Amino acid sequence: MSPCCWLALLALIPLTLAANPGVKVKLTDKGIEYGMFEIGMASLQQKLKTIKVPDLSGTEKVPPIGKVKYSLTGMTIVNLGLPKSALVLVPDTGVSLAITNAFINLHGNWRVRYFRFIQDSGSFDLAVNGLTITANIAIKSDETGRPTVSSVNCVANVGSARIKFHGGASWLYNLFKSYIDKALRSALQKQICPLVADAITDMNPHLKTFNVLAKVDQYAEIEYSMVTSPTISKSSIEFSLKGEFYNIGKHQEPPFSPTPFSLPPQANNMLYIGVSSFTPNSAGFVYNNAGALSLNVTDDMIPASSPIRLNTGTFGVFIPEVAKRFPGMMMKLLVKTVKEPTISLEPNNVTVQASGTVTAYAIQPNTTLSPLFVLNMEGSVSAQLNVTGVKLAGAITLNKIEMTLGTSYVGQFQVQSLDNIFLMVLKVVVIPKVNARLEKGFPLPSIGKMNLVNTQLQVLKDYMLIGTDVQFTG
């Protein structure tokens, strides 16, 4: 199980130039408790189990015997518990970790020598109770903008140590066990804070898994760097992330910017992710620039059962010049956008407006393409969104489409006469192709092997809200 991965969400710095975020993330009390008690404490407990208590030896005057040489060796931890712990958010500052009523049980061996020639040995059990640990955690960033954590202050106190000797002259040890108790408490106390610091530092390799820059596909990646410092209140932490798509290897800003938005005061889930309309619109800008919003449609993509075929015979019924000049030829349609689509988010409604062209070609016997006409197309689709894994995915359905004649190489004709053909092409070829891509989704902000569970998605004004619980595996 990875250490306290949630702390990665506390420091996504260095900060870029202050700007409105495209994505906001809020970690609630419920999420903080999960990260602390289910993950963080398990890691810290394992680290504290590695405490090595050094052998103790010395000489004590024990009336009426006199000088007694003693040694305590082979001390190992047999049980350790952290029954009560709390992670307290300090508004606008950081995080304070407090552990109380912790306990450690050890077992070891004892040996004594007195009157110069009498030796004895046995075993002992040490019970350390009332152990308290307080640590303040600093959250910074490395040169890549990924978070790092460190312990800036730690205090450990051992409330009491009770030792019980077994076998041999155990009564002899009991005569000066108060001294031994003190020595053992001191030895333990010195080791606890360095181990706490180590446990906190050990989180850093896991924090480096935060997807500051996440690849989407061969065209795009999405950046989740912070644009402002996290807002820390007494009950939640809110993070403002860039949430912007870029062409891989070419970070070009779109001709629009994020608009401010606020997350609602919901707290039923561990985590809330708000994705503004800026983020999918930046995706449209990227894919349009990459030339990825285009599709060549040929007859073999049309269902065999369809009476409508992409050939000059079918189109010649409506445009006689096509059949006359290019008899018996197959056709190809190039469908592409002419500018980035516009995504609008309204309550319970996602609408995409797209402007494009459809260019029709006749395929000559030598495979040369002869242009027939170009149609201008204005379309509207509705999108249904869902969260799958740690990705935001979706599917679209056609609302309406309007086509006008742009250029014709086969004379004038009534574009409306082709409506049924192009509606069929859109519904059985273009939209399924788009949905196959949308089904793959794009990555949401995440750390390591993170799963989203009990997820709900709402579409609100200008942003979508994902409420979810989280599980870490591996």
Side-chain angles (χ1 to χ4, degrees):
M1 183 70 72
S2 61
C4 189
C5 295
W6 281 101
L7 286 173
L9 296 175
L10 302 178
L12 309 174
I13 309 170
L15 303 178
T16 58
L17 293 176
N20 291 324
V23 171
K24 286 187 175 183
V25 175
K26 182 172 74 172
L27 181 62
T28 66
D29 270 341
K30 186 177 179 182
I32 295 167
E33 289 176 3
Y34 170 77
M36 188 64 207
F37 300 116
E38 297 297 326
I39 300 175
M41 285 299 96
S43 173
L44 181 57
Q45 188 162 331
Q46 290 301 316
K47 183 66 67 171
L48 292 176
K49 285 182 179 179
T50 67
I51 288 176
K52 302 296 183 185
V53 183
D55 295 344
L56 295 178
S57 62
T59 303
E60 279 294 308
K61 289 184 178 179
V62 181
I65 297 174
K67 291 183 178 180
V68 175
K69 291 184 178 181
Y70 69 90
S71 65
L72 303 177
T73 61
M75 287 175 275
T76 58
I77 294 176
V78 295
N79 193 19
L80 184 147
L82 307 175
K84 188 175 182 181
S85 56
L87 186 67
V88 178
L89 298 177
V90 183
D92 303 320
T93 303
V95 182
S96 178
L97 171 66
I99 299 171
T100 56
N101 296 329
F103 62 87
I104 302 175
N105 296 328
L106 300 97
H107 182 78
N109 301 309
W110 62 263
R111 182 177 296 275
V112 295
R113 182 178 180 181
Y114 55 99
F115 292 153
R116 296 186 179 181
F117 59 89
I118 299 177
Q119 298 185 48
D120 208 346
S121 62
S123 63
F124 70 90
D125 293 301
L126 175 67
V128 177
N129 295 296
L131 173 63
T132 63
I133 304 170
T134 303
N136 293 325
I137 301 171
I139 306 157
K140 299 181 180 179
S141 70
D142 61 16
E143 65 281 359
T144 69
R146 288 179 169 84
T148 59
V149 293
S150 60
S151 175
V152 294
N153 183 39
C154 177
V155 177
N157 289 301
V158 176
S160 64
R162 294 183 292 104
I163 191 168
K164 184 175 183 180
F165 297 98
H166 309 286
S170 298
W171 59 270
L172 185 58
Y173 264 98
N174 290 327
L175 296 177
F176 59 97
K177 69 177 182 180
S178 60
Y179 168 79
I180 295 173
D181 287 352
K182 182 179 179 181
L184 289 173
R185 285 203 312 272
S186 177
L188 287 170
Q189 205 159 278
K190 289 177 181 178
Q191 292 195 61
I192 290 172
C193 277
L195 289 173
V196 171
D198 287 347
I200 293 171
T201 300
D202 285 349
M203 299 175 192
N204 288 319
H206 299 273
L207 304 187
K208 288 182 181 294
T209 65
F210 177 76
N211 59 345
V212 170
L213 192 64
K215 183 177 179 180
V216 180
D217 53 27
Q218 70 268 34
Y219 301 107
E221 56 194 4
I222 185 168
E223 183 176 338
Y224 284 125
S225 60
M226 284 285 288
V227 296
T228 61
S229 299
T231 302
I232 304 175
S233 69
K234 292 182 178 180
S235 59
S236 67
I237 308 166
E238 188 172 295
F239 313 91
S240 297
L241 311 182
K242 194 165 189 180
E244 182 172 347
F245 280 77
Y246 289 107
N247 289 110
I248 290 180
K250 183 182 179 182
H251 283 201
Q252 178 184 352
E253 297 299 323
F256 48 85
S257 301
T259 56
F261 73 101
S262 300
L263 298 181
Q266 297 182 14
N268 292 330
N269 291 109
M270 297 179 183
L271 188 69
Y272 289 90
I273 304 172
V275 180
S276 74
S277 58
F278 169 80
T279 298
N281 276 304
S282 72
F285 175 76
V286 164
Y287 285 103
N288 184 67
N289 282 352
L293 302 183
S294 65
L295 179 65
N296 287 306
V297 183
T298 53
D299 186 70
D300 59 351
M301 301 165 73
I302 305 297
S305 59
S306 173
I308 299 175
R309 311 312 311 174
L310 291 189
N311 57 41
T312 55
T314 297
F315 279 79
V317 173
F318 307 100
I319 312 172
E321 191 69 16
V322 169
K324 179 179 177 181
R325 292 175 54 186
F326 305 96
M329 295 185 188
M330 303 305 296
M331 290 176 57
K332 180 172 80 169
L333 304 178
L334 172 60
V335 183
K336 67 176 184 178
T337 57
V338 295
K339 63 179 182 179
E340 64 270 11
T342 300
I343 295 94
S344 301
L345 303 180
E346 297 290 340
N348 303 315
N349 186 29
V350 181
T351 304
V352 184
Q353 301 286 341
S355 299
T357 60
V358 179
T359 304
Y361 298 93
I363 305 174
Q364 299 281 2
N366 63 358
T367 70
T368 300
L369 298 179
S370 297
L372 303 177
F373 55 83
V374 180
L375 301 181
N376 299 319
M377 181 172 58
E378 296 291 330
S380 170
V381 300
S382 292
Q384 296 77 43
L385 303 175
N386 63 85
V387 176
T388 174
V390 287
K391 291 185 176 183
L392 180 62
I396 61 170
T397 55
L398 182 64
N399 290 335
K400 64 178 181 177
I401 185 169
E402 295 179 358
M403 294 183 295
T404 58
L405 183 61
T407 303
S408 176
Y409 303 96
V410 290
Q412 296 298 308
F413 60 90
Q414 292 296 317
V415 175
Q416 289 73 17
S417 65
L418 302 177
D419 281 354
N420 288 337
I421 295 176
F422 287 108
L423 281 173
M424 182 273 296
V425 170
L426 288 172
K427 289 181 178 180
V428 305
V429 179
V430 178
I431 288 178
K433 288 284 187 183
V434 173
N435 285 339
R437 177 61 194 90
L438 293 176
E439 185 181 7
K440 296 178 181 179
F442 70 84
L444 292 166
S446 65
I447 301 167
K449 296 180 179 179
M450 186 174 97
N451 293 324
L452 304 182
V453 296
N454 304 322
T455 303
Q456 296 179 333
L457 188 149
Q458 297 175 273
V459 179
L460 303 171
K461 174 66 175 174
D462 295 329
Y463 75 99
M464 61 193 83
L465 180 67
I466 300 167
T468 184
D469 294 331
V470 173
Q471 290 179 347
F472 287 101
T473 60

